[in-house]
Amino acid sequence: MGWLSMYISLWLGLLVVMVKWKWVSGIGANWGTQATHPLPLDTVVTMLSANGIQKVKLFDADYATLGALGKTNIEVMVGIPNDMLSTLASSMKAAEKWVSKNVSAHMTNNNVNIRYVAVGNEPFLETYNGSFLQTTFPALQNVQSALIKAGLSNKVKVTVPLNADVYESSTGLPSGGDFRSNIHDLMLAIVKFLSDNGAPFTVNIYPFISLYEDSNFPVEYAFFDDNASPLNDGGTYYYNMFDANHDTLLWALQKNGFGNLPIIIGEIGWPTDGDKNANLDYAQRFNQGFMTHISGGKGTPMRPGPIDAYLFSWIDEDAKSIQPGNFERHWGLFNYDGSAKYQLNLGTTNSNSYLIPASNVHYQERKWCVIKPSVHLDDSRIASAVSYACANADCTSLGYQTSCGSLDSRGNISYAFNSFFQKNNQMDTACKFDSLATQTKTDPSLGTCKFPVMIQLYYSGGQRLLRYLTKQLALVSAAGLIMFFLELL
């Protein structure tokens, strides 16, 4: 009996390890919330669970969002925005208060499965011109100390999601990889700190951005079909950019004595609109290729084995900054209303299953705002009206080889007017534009260009409601003033 008990215990222990390994290596998703008309939180959580998503990465610590995730066992990476780094870096008390409010309370009271705290988001981007170089590491240290004081450091790990531009290759090959020269010492200090505390290195890898920024980038090298001419690195062949980029980081870590540091892919994905290379076909090809690439646990040439990754992103966000490009609002696997953009097998449920959309979505009335048929295109008022509409709504689907790129001039104007109208909850005053516009119940959508009707507003908690109403009041006030003066003309 003793041997039998030992045998059973051994297998039970192995089963637990296998279950834990499967959980850790599962696919995750980034859940951004910069949307004018977000889906109800419970709806998004239901979508995540229905699609077998085991891990979620957030960009802040919104109370209601975390509370909704507490109803599941989904692992959570909670985020600290860059604008908070200075405060947390300069005050241990501030770090302790943040951890108490945003980690301890949720884990204790709401049963949220928080596993990581993301300190900042790509804080060393070269476009930030060094704004966060002095505050990121001290903030990381203080948050870690606060986790230790709270007795959570064994359960919750700190990390810093970094853009792949923190490392580079002097030879153009992965083996030439090292950390960027101007932040080399800082990166080593952070890497050592992560290693000492059993925390992972988090990196965001975007082949799309390489294609967007360099017209000479070989398109096939962005995908996982092995159609590209391979990169030969001393007898190791790389058939896609992801593997090469990932292993460039590994070479950088290995050269500096940290070759075994765990790596998390914090963001990886492909947008579907806003640029000629941001389309449904490429997005499906990339994301399905990535899922197939990592599903077998093959890993990369430098590090075989499961890859820990968070797809970017779960749902489109129509209020994101478009400073990097118009594509920024179109990274989602799902549209703003929770409808799936294309078929994608995540390998998380049944072998033949595809994305499961949101259910019971409530839309606003089916009506649109368009240019009046009687208005001539040479009307001098049109340019300023369209400019105002696009500046205060979302016209990122308009442009060369975008989903609405085939619209004629009247179609472009109507799209802009409707975007503003929908964002402002179909208020009558939002479809005036100095008498250039009119409402219609005939859907003006054409081909691949969809004129959206927004979902009904949903509020989850006083803070979210107050934030939204404050923003809407400011927008409506500004819009009202402009409309008032336009009406006087």
Side-chain angles (χ1 to χ4, degrees), residues 90-315:
S90 59
S91 171
M92 188 63 220
K93 272 190 175 180
E96 290 173 1
K97 183 178 179 180
W98 190 93
V99 166
S100 175
K101 176 183 177 182
N102 300 298
V103 181
S104 302
H106 284 289
M107 294 181 72
T108 303
N109 303 327
N110 300 326
N111 199 32
V112 183
N113 186 17
I114 298 176
R115 296 292 298 274
Y116 301 102
V117 174
V119 183
N121 183 50
E122 299 186 337
F124 302 151
L125 273 176
E126 291 191 279
T127 53
Y128 289 151
N129 297 317
S131 299
F132 307 108
L133 290 181
Q134 305 302 319
T135 55
T136 301
F137 188 28
L140 182 71
Q141 292 173 305
N142 284 348
V143 171
Q144 172 66 19
S145 297
L147 288 171
I148 293 173
K149 186 173 181 179
L152 296 173
S153 59
N154 288 330
K155 297 179 180 178
V156 183
K157 299 298 180 181
V158 292
T159 188
V160 182
L162 296 163
N163 188 275
D165 73 352
V166 298
Y167 49 90
E168 55 195 4
S169 173
S170 58
T171 63
L173 300 171
S175 59
D178 204 348
F179 293 110
R180 209 168 74 211
S181 57
N182 66 322
I183 57 170
H184 193 274
D185 292 345
L186 175 58
M187 284 302 306
L188 288 193
I190 289 175
V191 166
K192 183 179 186 305
F193 182 82
L194 295 174
S195 179
D196 290 344
N197 289 283
F201 189 107
T202 301
V203 62
N204 302 335
I205 298 177
Y206 283 113
F208 169 80
I209 300 296
S210 297
L211 183 59
Y212 175 75
E213 294 179 342
D214 182 4
S215 59
N216 295 317
F217 184 87
V219 176
E220 291 299 321
Y221 197 57
F223 298 97
F224 299 91
D225 307 313
D226 293 347
N227 292 333
S229 299
L231 186 68
N232 182 359
D233 190 359
T236 299
Y237 290 88
Y238 289 90
Y239 292 87
N240 63 81
M241 181 193 161
F242 171 78
D243 283 357
N245 192 296
H246 181 279
D247 284 5
T248 302
L249 168 60
L250 273 173
W251 274 103
L253 291 169
Q254 183 173 289
K255 284 177 183 176
N256 292 285
F258 299 96
N260 294 321
L261 191 68
I263 293 175
I264 289 176
I265 308 303
E267 298 177 18
I268 185 167
W270 200 281
T272 55
D273 210 352
D275 180 71
K276 64 179 182 178
N277 291 310
N279 55 63
L280 294 173
D281 290 340
Y282 274 7
Q284 181 184 38
R285 181 183 174 194
F286 180 85
N287 285 323
Q288 191 63 75
F290 178 70
M291 292 308 306
T292 302
H293 187 64
I294 69 171
S295 63
K298 180 182 177 181
T300 67
M302 280 282 287
R303 183 174 285 183
I307 289 176
D308 197 355
Y310 295 80
L311 294 175
F312 190 85
S313 64
W314 195 239
I315 300 175

